[in-house]
Amino acid sequence: MTTIQEREDLLSELGLDAQNTAAIGRVLGTGSIERATERADGTMEATIRIKEDEIAWDPAILVLPHGGDLELTIINDDKNTHACLLPSNGDKKFIWLLNHSKGRAKINLDGPGYYWYSSPGGNDEGRGLTAAIVVLGEVPPEARLDRPDQPRR
């Protein structure tokens, strides 16, 4: 289990504790943060879950070192049915999660930034069942806006 200080240290190390660094600022002030594991072929993998009686994703922030393919294992340890609506280039992915079930999703997030995912059924979002995937890295020069450099700390 991550302590509050370890969470703060990791947020700072990744640049997620201030605006205009990795873009998320202090939007998600609670919940855990974890890094995806990268395989030799560049595909990343991670597990996200809904713990019993918590109505929260764990981790609340999943960090990818770069854009690309991500294979997720999604676990619903709760006594209630939930869902997972995930962002992905080309089309969103929807996984229905019966109580005490598991699903898998393959998604592609090719650009840096943060991407929200949630459980859109039964007012789960309204009760806090939302989280973020943060993709680190720089936007390629051809995709940058023609504007002055923005302040970074």
Side-chain angles (χ1 to χ4, degrees), residues 35-38 44 63-67 134-137:
R35 298 177 199 225
T37 303
E38 188 171 7
M44 294 158 282
V63 180
L64 307 185
H66 55 78
V134 177
V135 180
L136 301 178

mmCIF file with all atom_site columns, all heavy atoms in Angstrom, residues 35-38 44 63-67 134-137:
data_model
loop_
_atom_site.group_PDB
_atom_site.id
_atom_site.type_symbol
_atom_site.label_atom_id
_atom_site.label_alt_id
_atom_site.label_comp_id
_atom_site.label_asym_id
_atom_site.label_entity_id
_atom_site.label_seq_id
_atom_site.pdbx_PDB_ins_code
_atom_site.Cartn_x
_atom_site.Cartn_y
_atom_site.Cartn_z
_atom_site.occupancy
_atom_site.B_iso_or_equiv
_atom_site.pdbx_formal_charge
_atom_site.auth_seq_id
_atom_site.auth_comp_id
_atom_site.auth_asym_id
_atom_site.auth_atom_id
_atom_site.pdbx_PDB_model_num
ATOM 1   N N   . ARG A 1 35  ? 2.312  2.978  -12.255 1.00 0.00 ? 35  ARG A N   1
ATOM 2   C CA  . ARG A 1 35  ? 2.873  2.983  -13.599 1.00 0.00 ? 35  ARG A CA  1
ATOM 3   C C   . ARG A 1 35  ? 2.525  1.680  -14.303 1.00 0.00 ? 35  ARG A C   1
ATOM 4   O O   . ARG A 1 35  ? 2.561  0.616  -13.688 1.00 0.00 ? 35  ARG A O   1
ATOM 5   C CB  . ARG A 1 35  ? 4.388  3.099  -13.555 1.00 0.00 ? 35  ARG A CB  1
ATOM 6   C CG  . ARG A 1 35  ? 4.909  4.346  -12.927 1.00 0.00 ? 35  ARG A CG  1
ATOM 7   C CD  . ARG A 1 35  ? 6.416  4.259  -12.912 1.00 0.00 ? 35  ARG A CD  1
ATOM 8   N NE  . ARG A 1 35  ? 6.969  5.189  -11.954 1.00 0.00 ? 35  ARG A NE  1
ATOM 9   C CZ  . ARG A 1 35  ? 7.992  5.971  -12.213 1.00 0.00 ? 35  ARG A CZ  1
ATOM 10  N NH1 . ARG A 1 35  ? 8.587  5.913  -13.375 1.00 0.00 ? 35  ARG A NH1 1
ATOM 11  N NH2 . ARG A 1 35  ? 8.449  6.791  -11.309 1.00 0.00 ? 35  ARG A NH2 1
ATOM 12  N N   . ALA A 1 36  ? 2.250  1.764  -15.596 1.00 0.00 ? 36  ALA A N   1
ATOM 13  C CA  . ALA A 1 36  ? 2.049  0.556  -16.396 1.00 0.00 ? 36  ALA A CA  1
ATOM 14  C C   . ALA A 1 36  ? 3.399  -0.123 -16.583 1.00 0.00 ? 36  ALA A C   1
ATOM 15  O O   . ALA A 1 36  ? 4.448  0.521  -16.576 1.00 0.00 ? 36  ALA A O   1
ATOM 16  C CB  . ALA A 1 36  ? 1.442  0.912  -17.749 1.00 0.00 ? 36  ALA A CB  1
ATOM 17  N N   . THR A 1 37  ? 3.372  -1.423 -16.763 1.00 0.00 ? 37  THR A N   1
ATOM 18  C CA  . THR A 1 37  ? 4.582  -2.198 -17.042 1.00 0.00 ? 37  THR A CA  1
ATOM 19  C C   . THR A 1 37  ? 4.764  -2.250 -18.554 1.00 0.00 ? 37  THR A C   1
ATOM 20  O O   . THR A 1 37  ? 3.801  -2.434 -19.296 1.00 0.00 ? 37  THR A O   1
ATOM 21  C CB  . THR A 1 37  ? 4.421  -3.631 -16.501 1.00 0.00 ? 37  THR A CB  1
ATOM 22  O OG1 . THR A 1 37  ? 4.141  -3.562 -15.114 1.00 0.00 ? 37  THR A OG1 1
ATOM 23  C CG2 . THR A 1 37  ? 5.675  -4.444 -16.728 1.00 0.00 ? 37  THR A CG2 1
ATOM 24  N N   . GLU A 1 38  ? 5.998  -2.067 -19.000 1.00 0.00 ? 38  GLU A N   1
ATOM 25  C CA  . GLU A 1 38  ? 6.279  -2.109 -20.435 1.00 0.00 ? 38  GLU A CA  1
ATOM 26  C C   . GLU A 1 38  ? 6.980  -3.418 -20.787 1.00 0.00 ? 38  GLU A C   1
ATOM 27  O O   . GLU A 1 38  ? 7.984  -3.790 -20.176 1.00 0.00 ? 38  GLU A O   1
ATOM 28  C CB  . GLU A 1 38  ? 7.141  -0.920 -20.842 1.00 0.00 ? 38  GLU A CB  1
ATOM 29  C CG  . GLU A 1 38  ? 7.314  -0.805 -22.329 1.00 0.00 ? 38  GLU A CG  1
ATOM 30  C CD  . GLU A 1 38  ? 7.988  0.496  -22.744 1.00 0.00 ? 38  GLU A CD  1
ATOM 31  O OE1 . GLU A 1 38  ? 8.443  1.253  -21.880 1.00 0.00 ? 38  GLU A OE1 1
ATOM 32  O OE2 . GLU A 1 38  ? 8.066  0.727  -23.951 1.00 0.00 ? 38  GLU A OE2 1
ATOM 33  N N   . MET A 1 44  ? 2.343  -1.957 -23.383 1.00 0.00 ? 44  MET A N   1
ATOM 34  C CA  . MET A 1 44  ? 2.255  -1.757 -21.944 1.00 0.00 ? 44  MET A CA  1
ATOM 35  C C   . MET A 1 44  ? 1.095  -2.581 -21.392 1.00 0.00 ? 44  MET A C   1
ATOM 36  O O   . MET A 1 44  ? 0.162  -2.903 -22.114 1.00 0.00 ? 44  MET A O   1
ATOM 37  C CB  . MET A 1 44  ? 2.092  -0.277 -21.643 1.00 0.00 ? 44  MET A CB  1
ATOM 38  C CG  . MET A 1 44  ? 3.335  0.521  -22.033 1.00 0.00 ? 44  MET A CG  1
ATOM 39  S SD  . MET A 1 44  ? 3.024  2.260  -22.310 1.00 0.00 ? 44  MET A SD  1
ATOM 40  C CE  . MET A 1 44  ? 2.292  2.252  -23.928 1.00 0.00 ? 44  MET A CE  1
ATOM 41  N N   . VAL A 1 63  ? -0.232 5.623  -15.149 1.00 0.00 ? 63  VAL A N   1
ATOM 42  C CA  . VAL A 1 63  ? 0.736  6.399  -15.929 1.00 0.00 ? 63  VAL A CA  1
ATOM 43  C C   . VAL A 1 63  ? 1.421  5.503  -16.955 1.00 0.00 ? 63  VAL A C   1
ATOM 44  O O   . VAL A 1 63  ? 1.964  4.451  -16.617 1.00 0.00 ? 63  VAL A O   1
ATOM 45  C CB  . VAL A 1 63  ? 1.791  7.043  -15.004 1.00 0.00 ? 63  VAL A CB  1
ATOM 46  C CG1 . VAL A 1 63  ? 2.798  7.851  -15.816 1.00 0.00 ? 63  VAL A CG1 1
ATOM 47  C CG2 . VAL A 1 63  ? 1.117  7.920  -13.956 1.00 0.00 ? 63  VAL A CG2 1
ATOM 48  N N   . LEU A 1 64  ? 1.376  5.935  -18.222 1.00 0.00 ? 64  LEU A N   1
ATOM 49  C CA  . LEU A 1 64  ? 2.090  5.257  -19.304 1.00 0.00 ? 64  LEU A CA  1
ATOM 50  C C   . LEU A 1 64  ? 3.333  6.077  -19.634 1.00 0.00 ? 64  LEU A C   1
ATOM 51  O O   . LEU A 1 64  ? 3.258  7.299  -19.743 1.00 0.00 ? 64  LEU A O   1
ATOM 52  C CB  . LEU A 1 64  ? 1.217  5.153  -20.556 1.00 0.00 ? 64  LEU A CB  1
ATOM 53  C CG  . LEU A 1 64  ? -0.170 4.536  -20.413 1.00 0.00 ? 64  LEU A CG  1
ATOM 54  C CD1 . LEU A 1 64  ? -0.825 4.404  -21.780 1.00 0.00 ? 64  LEU A CD1 1
ATOM 55  C CD2 . LEU A 1 64  ? -0.121 3.209  -19.714 1.00 0.00 ? 64  LEU A CD2 1
ATOM 56  N N   . PRO A 1 65  ? 4.486  5.428  -19.854 1.00 0.00 ? 65  PRO A N   1
ATOM 57  C CA  . PRO A 1 65  ? 5.709  6.178  -20.142 1.00 0.00 ? 65  PRO A CA  1
ATOM 58  C C   . PRO A 1 65  ? 5.686  6.857  -21.509 1.00 0.00 ? 65  PRO A C   1
ATOM 59  O O   . PRO A 1 65  ? 6.422  7.811  -21.750 1.00 0.00 ? 65  PRO A O   1
ATOM 60  C CB  . PRO A 1 65  ? 6.807  5.121  -20.070 1.00 0.00 ? 65  PRO A CB  1
ATOM 61  C CG  . PRO A 1 65  ? 6.105  3.820  -20.328 1.00 0.00 ? 65  PRO A CG  1
ATOM 62  C CD  . PRO A 1 65  ? 4.724  3.982  -19.795 1.00 0.00 ? 65  PRO A CD  1
ATOM 63  N N   . HIS A 1 66  ? 4.839  6.377  -22.412 1.00 0.00 ? 66  HIS A N   1
ATOM 64  C CA  . HIS A 1 66  ? 4.737  6.942  -23.768 1.00 0.00 ? 66  HIS A CA  1
ATOM 65  C C   . HIS A 1 66  ? 3.432  6.454  -24.382 1.00 0.00 ? 66  HIS A C   1
ATOM 66  O O   . HIS A 1 66  ? 2.770  5.559  -23.836 1.00 0.00 ? 66  HIS A O   1
ATOM 67  C CB  . HIS A 1 66  ? 5.936  6.519  -24.630 1.00 0.00 ? 66  HIS A CB  1
ATOM 68  C CG  . HIS A 1 66  ? 6.125  5.033  -24.684 1.00 0.00 ? 66  HIS A CG  1
ATOM 69  N ND1 . HIS A 1 66  ? 5.359  4.198  -25.478 1.00 0.00 ? 66  HIS A ND1 1
ATOM 70  C CD2 . HIS A 1 66  ? 6.985  4.224  -24.013 1.00 0.00 ? 66  HIS A CD2 1
ATOM 71  C CE1 . HIS A 1 66  ? 5.739  2.951  -25.305 1.00 0.00 ? 66  HIS A CE1 1
ATOM 72  N NE2 . HIS A 1 66  ? 6.726  2.932  -24.417 1.00 0.00 ? 66  HIS A NE2 1
ATOM 73  N N   . GLY A 1 67  ? 3.080  7.003  -25.516 1.00 0.00 ? 67  GLY A N   1
ATOM 74  C CA  . GLY A 1 67  ? 1.891  6.544  -26.223 1.00 0.00 ? 67  GLY A CA  1
ATOM 75  C C   . GLY A 1 67  ? 2.111  5.170  -26.822 1.00 0.00 ? 67  GLY A C   1
ATOM 76  O O   . GLY A 1 67  ? 3.241  4.728  -27.014 1.00 0.00 ? 67  GLY A O   1
ATOM 77  N N   . VAL A 1 134 ? -2.682 8.658  -17.756 1.00 0.00 ? 134 VAL A N   1
ATOM 78  C CA  . VAL A 1 134 ? -1.799 9.751  -18.148 1.00 0.00 ? 134 VAL A CA  1
ATOM 79  C C   . VAL A 1 134 ? -0.715 9.191  -19.053 1.00 0.00 ? 134 VAL A C   1
ATOM 80  O O   . VAL A 1 134 ? -0.005 8.259  -18.671 1.00 0.00 ? 134 VAL A O   1
ATOM 81  C CB  . VAL A 1 134 ? -1.155 10.427 -16.915 1.00 0.00 ? 134 VAL A CB  1
ATOM 82  C CG1 . VAL A 1 134 ? -0.177 11.510 -17.350 1.00 0.00 ? 134 VAL A CG1 1
ATOM 83  C CG2 . VAL A 1 134 ? -2.228 10.994 -16.005 1.00 0.00 ? 134 VAL A CG2 1
ATOM 84  N N   . VAL A 1 135 ? -0.598 9.740  -20.254 1.00 0.00 ? 135 VAL A N   1
ATOM 85  C CA  . VAL A 1 135 ? 0.431  9.332  -21.197 1.00 0.00 ? 135 VAL A CA  1
ATOM 86  C C   . VAL A 1 135 ? 1.510  10.413 -21.206 1.00 0.00 ? 135 VAL A C   1
ATOM 87  O O   . VAL A 1 135 ? 1.232  11.564 -21.562 1.00 0.00 ? 135 VAL A O   1
ATOM 88  C CB  . VAL A 1 135 ? -0.151 9.129  -22.618 1.00 0.00 ? 135 VAL A CB  1
ATOM 89  C CG1 . VAL A 1 135 ? 0.950  8.714  -23.585 1.00 0.00 ? 135 VAL A CG1 1
ATOM 90  C CG2 . VAL A 1 135 ? -1.276 8.095  -22.597 1.00 0.00 ? 135 VAL A CG2 1
ATOM 91  N N   . LEU A 1 136 ? 2.701  10.039 -20.798 1.00 0.00 ? 136 LEU A N   1
ATOM 92  C CA  . LEU A 1 136 ? 3.820  10.979 -20.765 1.00 0.00 ? 136 LEU A CA  1
ATOM 93  C C   . LEU A 1 136 ? 4.423  11.121 -22.154 1.00 0.00 ? 136 LEU A C   1
ATOM 94  O O   . LEU A 1 136 ? 4.188  10.294 -23.035 1.00 0.00 ? 136 LEU A O   1
ATOM 95  C CB  . LEU A 1 136 ? 4.879  10.500 -19.777 1.00 0.00 ? 136 LEU A CB  1
ATOM 96  C CG  . LEU A 1 136 ? 4.426  10.328 -18.322 1.00 0.00 ? 136 LEU A CG  1
ATOM 97  C CD1 . LEU A 1 136 ? 5.576  9.788  -17.476 1.00 0.00 ? 136 LEU A CD1 1
ATOM 98  C CD2 . LEU A 1 136 ? 3.908  11.628 -17.757 1.00 0.00 ? 136 LEU A CD2 1
ATOM 99  N N   . GLY A 1 137 ? 5.238  12.136 -22.327 1.00 0.00 ? 137 GLY A N   1
ATOM 100 C CA  . GLY A 1 137 ? 5.931  12.337 -23.594 1.00 0.00 ? 137 GLY A CA  1
ATOM 101 C C   . GLY A 1 137 ? 5.612  13.694 -24.191 1.00 0.00 ? 137 GLY A C   1
ATOM 102 O O   . GLY A 1 137 ? 4.826  14.460 -23.657 1.00 0.00 ? 137 GLY A O   1
#
